[in-house]
Amino acid sequence: FFFFFFGFWIKNTISTTNFTYKEMIHRSIIAGYSCFAKNAQIILRLASRCNSTASGQRKKVIVLGSGWGGFRAAKDLDKTLYDVTVVSPSNHFLFTPLLASTAVGTLEFRCTQEPVRTIPNLGAYYQAKTLQVDFDAKQIKCADIFKKDEFSLDYDILIIATGQKTNTFNLPGVAEREGKEVMFLKHLYHARLLRNRVLECFERAALPSTSTEERQRLLNFVVVGGGPTSCEMVGELHDFIVQDVSRWYSDLVEHVQVTLVSDKPQLLDTFNASLARYTEKTFKNRKINVLTDTMVTGVIEKDTLSDGTKLPEDHRMTIATLSGNKELPFGMMLWSAGLQPVKFAAGLEHVTLGPQRRILVDSKLRLHVDEVPSDSVFALGDCAVSEDNPLPMTAQVAQQQGAYLARVLNKSSDVSNADDFHFRYLGVMSNIGGWKAVLDASGTGPLPEGHGPRLQGFIAALAWRGAYWTKTVSISNKMQIPMFWFKQLIFGRDISRF
């Protein structure tokens, strides 16, 4: 009917049409039949998939983790060949480059995540942690994150993509204050905690009973680390202060201080030196306190102000101790100074570990079980390291490894004759706020590949937003993110604390 009425409309609107209604109906029928034939092929393929599932012909693939590598592998694997199960304590994939934006309300949290269960034709998902692997029996032991009940799953192919967690280097007070005054930024709930803490500091500082000393401490925000995450958080805090705090907390602006602490001689040490200098100069022009070659040695508490006023137990002064016996009072600290393996990956038995206790893999991402490459167990992303070509722990590495492994397995479950994995360096970017960013794809830094440009300022900010917008997974987020950017530009950020 669609093709008939479409042809009828053409006949009545285009005077140059020279075929008869009989020919029009004939052509419409042919077009409709062609459309039906294509749909019939799709139906037959779906039926074939169902038959394959019912007969148990598909191999069981278990993916541990829902990050850049695990999510991409689970998404790209051919579900007509494999019954794919994802096991992860997080039931969503997190688009980490935009995480700092959610911490101050530039974007909303759900714009940066994709639920695992939306992967097309996914066999199963379990919100659980993996405890151990029996490589001989091809079985994993898991515990759900709610009641800690344990269960086992069998696999034909296992993909380990458990990532890394924040490393506190066992510094006193850091882990103990995590989630209170000290924040991490690896997960979505971290961003929510950070956002609430920042707003809490402003609301407490606005109270008439708060002393000037306590107000200055509450409004000193410390970011530890000199990498892209740290610089992006500093940039977001700066924009929040300039664009929103000055409007809603105008009497507090003079007390606000942002401090960036790095133990490296320069910020962004994986970038070209000129871009690193540009970033540091931009921060200093904004009166951001940049401390390079400085180490945080711990976090302590004090219960008494300098005037002798006693503080309640849940509102004590938090102070960062620095190298050189210096002290830095703060209201909120973001700790982004390093990574370490999760307990599961670092504790795998019969597995060879490489540098930084990462799982050692070969050029086909196979890990070594009892020093022999396994054709059924693979590791990728931050938890793995190649014995021949160590790569940085970045999202682009993990995503390319996930895509490579899915592509290889879709051709054959036997990867012994597959091409080796080759990483394609795409450059590095960091948003530093104020519609400024830095982009380095020149290959002149520590990462040797890539021959793109070096950009800074407004053009780099446009490239940063455009690149990450196009990399988001769902159409829903591709629509929401520009809408929230526009909302923030016109109406400002949401300062509600809940």
Side-chain angles (χ1 to χ4, degrees):
F1 282 109
F2 169 77
F3 283 103
F4 175 79
F5 285 112
F6 182 66
F8 182 80
W9 175 78
I10 292 176
K11 180 71 177 177
N12 284 274
T13 55
I14 303 177
S15 59
T16 57
T17 304
N18 56 11
F19 55 83
T20 64
Y21 285 107
K22 183 177 180 180
E23 291 173 328
M24 182 185 69
I25 294 171
H26 176 69
R27 296 184 186 190
S28 299
I29 291 172
I30 291 174
Y33 175 78
S34 174
C35 182
F36 170 78
K38 291 180 180 178
N39 288 326
Q41 291 175 2
I42 295 173
I43 293 170
L44 288 174
R45 284 200 298 269
L46 290 173
S48 174
R49 177 184 298 165
C50 293
N51 290 336
S52 174
T53 305
S55 61
Q57 294 175 358
R58 297 187 297 167
K59 288 181 178 288
K60 295 180 180 178
V61 177
I62 295 181
V63 180
L64 306 182
S66 55
W68 286 91
F71 187 84
R72 182 61 185 267
K75 180 173 175 287
D76 288 2
L77 280 168
D78 188 344
K79 309 308 186 296
T80 63
L81 301 175
Y82 300 105
D83 180 12
V84 180
T85 296
V86 176
V87 179
S88 173
S90 177
N91 73 343
H92 56 270
F93 160 71
L94 179 61
F95 197 83
T96 49
L98 298 179
L99 192 56
S101 297
T102 68
V104 295
T106 305
L107 294 176
E108 286 305 313
F109 302 111
R110 296 192 182 277
C111 291
T112 61
Q113 59 85 33
E114 304 286 350
V116 172
R117 292 184 182 275
T118 61
I119 295 176
N121 304 308
L122 183 68
Y125 165 72
Y126 301 109
Q127 193 163 12
K129 290 185 177 182
T130 307
L131 303 178
Q132 61 187 41
V133 181
D134 186 335
F135 295 106
D136 294 327
K138 289 192 172 184
Q139 189 178 78
I140 64 171
K141 185 179 180 181
C142 308
D144 74 74
I145 68 168
F146 307 105
K147 296 182 178 180
K148 312 302 180 186
D149 292 337
E150 296 184 1
F151 59 94
S152 297
L153 298 172
D154 297 324
Y155 68 85
D156 295 309
I157 296 173
L158 179 66
I159 300 174
I160 301 174
T162 51
Q164 299 248 319
K165 64 180 181 179
T166 302
N167 191 353
T168 63
F169 304 99
N170 295 319
L171 294 177
V174 178
E176 292 80 358
R177 306 308 301 170
E178 192 265 322
K180 300 173 184 177
E181 298 88 7
V182 179
M183 304 294 166
F184 300 159
L185 198 59
K186 285 284 288 180
H187 301 285
L188 206 55
Y189 71 88
H190 287 156
R192 189 170 65 248
L193 288 171
L194 197 158
R195 183 168 170 178
N196 276 337
R197 178 61 187 176
V198 168
L199 293 171
E200 178 189 341
C201 288
F202 277 103
E203 294 299 345
R204 285 174 56 186
L207 295 173
S209 57
T210 304
S211 66
T212 301
E213 181 183 1
E214 177 68 354
R215 183 174 292 114
Q216 289 176 339
R217 179 191 71 84
L218 286 168
L219 299 182
N220 188 13
F221 303 109
V222 177
V223 179
V224 182
T229 300
S230 302
C231 291
E232 288 178 356
M233 191 65 238
V234 169
E236 290 288 350
L237 280 171
H238 166 265
D239 287 355
F240 176 61
I241 293 165
V242 170
Q243 299 167 6
D244 300 277
V245 171
S246 60
R247 181 180 179 186
W248 304 115
Y249 303 94
S250 56
D251 56 326
L252 299 179
V253 174
E254 61 179 316
H255 301 288
V256 179
Q257 177 66 64
V258 178
T259 302
L260 178 58
V261 183
S262 174
D263 62 347
K264 305 285 178 60
Q266 69 173 31
L267 306 178
L268 300 174
D269 59 339
T270 59
F271 285 64
N272 180 269
S274 63
L275 297 177
R277 289 193 296 270
Y278 171 80
T279 301
E280 186 171 343
K281 181 180 178 182
T282 300
F283 285 164
K284 288 182 177 179
N285 288 341
R286 295 170 178 171
K287 298 183 179 179
I288 293 168
N289 187 22
V290 179
L291 303 176
T292 54
D293 274 327
T294 304
M295 293 183 62
V296 175
T297 58
V299 173
I300 60 174
E301 289 183 298
K302 289 186 177 180
D303 59 0
T304 307
L305 296 176
S306 58
D307 61 359
T309 304
K310 282 282 187 180
L311 296 171
E313 186 175 350
D314 57 344
H315 287 155
R316 291 179 176 176
M317 291 182 64
T318 46
I319 299 173
T321 57
L322 309 178
S323 53
N325 296 321
K326 297 178 182 178
E327 292 186 348
L328 184 64
F330 66 89
M332 187 281 296
M333 172 188 286
L334 171 64
W335 185 272
S336 181
L339 299 172
Q340 64 177 332
V342 297
K343 184 178 179 181
F344 161 75
L348 280 173
E349 297 180 354
H350 309 290
V351 171
T352 305
L353 298 180
Q356 299 173 298
R357 299 171 66 204
R358 297 163 70 187
I359 300 171
L360 197 65
V361 296
D362 64 9
S363 58
K364 295 177 176 59
L365 306 183
R366 299 176 296 185
L367 57 78
H368 296 86
V369 179
D370 293 324
E371 300 184 356
V372 177
S374 172
D375 288 327
S376 61
V377 186
F378 304 85
L380 52 85
D382 292 354
C383 71
V385 61
S386 170
E387 54 189 347
D388 300 320
N389 183 26
L391 294 170
M393 292 181 283
T394 60
Q396 59 178 294
V397 172
Q399 188 178 49
Q400 289 183 38
Q401 288 176 334
Y404 159 82
L405 188 55
R407 185 171 63 251
V408 166
L409 290 174
N410 287 342
K411 293 179 181 178
S412 173
S413 58
D414 181 5
V415 302
S416 56
N417 296 320
D419 294 335
D420 295 343
F421 170 73
H422 292 287
F423 172 57
R424 182 189 173 198
Y425 174 57
L426 302 176
V428 284
M429 296 187 292
S430 182
N431 177 38
I432 58 175
W435 279 95
K436 291 183 178 181
V438 287
L439 184 156
D440 184 6
S442 63
T444 58
L447 300 176
E449 299 181 22
H451 302 282
R454 288 198 304 264
L455 300 175
Q456 62 188 40
F458 179 71
I459 298 299
L462 290 179
W464 184 89
R465 294 201 178 206
Y468 285 138
W469 175 75
T470 58
K471 294 290 286 184
T472 52
V473 179
S474 67
I475 298 297
S476 172
N477 281 348
K478 282 184 169 63
M479 294 175 61
Q480 290 187 77
I481 288 171
M483 290 170 61
F484 279 109
W485 279 338
F486 179 76
K487 171 185 171 293
Q488 176 268 315
L489 185 66
I490 302 300
F491 303 106
R493 295 166 179 82
D494 180 17
I495 59 169
S496 302
R497 181 173 177 267
F498 52 88

